[in-house]
Amino acid sequence: MSNDSLYQKSNFNRIGEFKKLSSEAFRAFGNFDQKALSEGLLNSKVKELMAVAIAHVTGCPYCIEVGNGIKSRLFPCSWSKCPKCL
């Protein structure tokens, strides 16, 4: 049994490889992501919080890592100390 893990933070540095290997799919995903998180019936902050919650439900370590960055950008303070963040 190998000690290697599919999830490695260093893989984030390889995202550019996806663009090289399949530029059309990479561009389509980027467009989808932008549209999904843009303002609409729900504001962007709510949509990003939903994305963080979904990442934890699905258990995707990459999505959780990105989501934690979103959470700390949206809420630089402690949630328990700042209930008005929402």
Side-chain angles (χ1 to χ4, degrees):
M1 186 108 126
S2 173
N3 287 335
D4 292 341
S5 170
L6 177 62
Y7 171 70
Q8 297 174 10
K9 277 190 175 187
S10 61
N11 286 341
F12 278 112
N13 299 330
R14 299 181 65 195
I15 290 178
E17 292 178 40
F18 290 120
K19 186 175 183 179
K20 289 179 188 173
L21 294 171
S22 185
S23 61
E24 187 176 330
F26 187 83
R27 190 172 31 259
F29 180 78
N31 290 338
F32 164 77
D33 188 54
Q34 259 185 336
K35 288 179 183 177
L37 295 175
S38 65
E39 295 283 332
L41 289 175
L42 300 174
N43 67 41
S44 295
K45 189 182 236 185
V46 170
K47 289 181 176 185
E48 288 182 341
L49 284 172
M50 289 171 62
V52 171
I54 291 167
H56 284 276
V57 169
T58 61
C60 173
Y62 293 105
C63 298
I64 291 170
E65 186 71 29
V66 170
N68 285 336
I70 291 170
K71 184 180 69 173
S72 48
R73 180 175 50 78
L74 291 175
F75 302 102
C77 59
S78 168
W79 289 30
S80 62
K81 294 180 183 173
C82 188
K84 294 182 181 180
C85 285
L86 293 174

